[in-house]
Amino acid sequence: LWYRPPELLLGAHDYDISIDVWGVGCIIAEMIHGKVLFDGDSEIDQLYKIFRIKGTPDVMSWPEFTKMPNYSSTFPVFPPKDLCQFLGTEDALLVDLIDKLLQLNPAKRLSAKAALSHPYFADVPPKLISICLPEGVTLEQSKV
């Protein structure tokens, strides 16, 4: 439950690999902070914990939001907060990476491939990053 993305909590029937990217963002945040970022005890509590930090989406930030099966017009509206205060780090690149992995709108969420090219990983040797790529794909090809 703690690593489930908002689209699944909202009842999406169609989803893609971005659900795993959300989970990776949650895990990285947990590793940095030392505790779970969104520790809900039910699906609605989980959704509200996400909204309390990331802000409640609207049709401008996520056009499909109000069309989701579990959407409610009575959802409380929370403004987005600065992730730094929840992560316990001032590393701007790390916070930016996590923020992009934890985009509420799955269409705006960073892809796994794009995450490997994020500036946070600039000092990681290319050989280590290439271990994460599919067989036969080079780092240069992955940046396309």
Side-chain angles (χ1 to χ4, degrees):
L1 181 65
W2 294 344
Y3 310 100
R4 198 172 299 170
E7 63 269 28
L8 291 184
L9 295 166
L10 289 164
H13 299 289
D14 296 320
Y15 48 86
D16 58 24
I17 195 155
S18 68
I19 65 169
D20 296 323
V21 170
W22 176 274
V24 168
C26 291
I27 291 167
I28 293 172
E30 185 174 342
M31 290 169 58
I32 300 308
H33 186 53
K35 63 185 205 178
V36 177
L37 185 59
F38 309 117
D39 59 350
D41 58 16
S42 67
E43 288 189 357
I44 193 66
D45 185 47
Q46 183 69 20
L47 201 54
Y48 285 3
K49 288 195 178 200
I50 292 168
F51 291 169
R52 280 187 191 103
I53 294 175
K54 295 295 295 172
T56 305
D58 57 27
V59 293
M60 295 300 290
S61 64
W62 186 5
E64 299 82 12
F65 175 61
T66 59
K67 297 177 180 98
M68 302 298 283
N70 297 340
Y71 166 78
S72 172
S73 60
T74 62
F75 283 158
V77 178
F78 297 104
K81 296 200 169 108
D82 185 356
L83 273 177
C84 288
Q85 71 186 69
F86 297 97
L87 297 175
T89 181
E90 295 295 322
D91 185 331
L93 286 176
L94 179 57
V95 173
D96 182 67
L97 172 64
I98 294 170
D99 186 55
K100 288 177 177 172
L101 296 172
L102 296 178
Q103 285 297 305
L104 296 173
N105 181 346
K108 293 181 180 178
R109 207 170 289 151
L110 196 63
S111 71
K113 186 172 157 180
L116 291 173
S117 298
H118 189 276
Y120 179 74
F121 296 116
D123 61 349
V124 175
K127 187 171 184 174
L128 283 178
I129 291 177
S130 68
I131 292 170
C132 300
L133 297 173
E135 188 173 330
V137 175
T138 67
L139 186 58
E140 290 73 32
Q141 291 169 328
S142 76
K143 292 181 180 178
V144 176

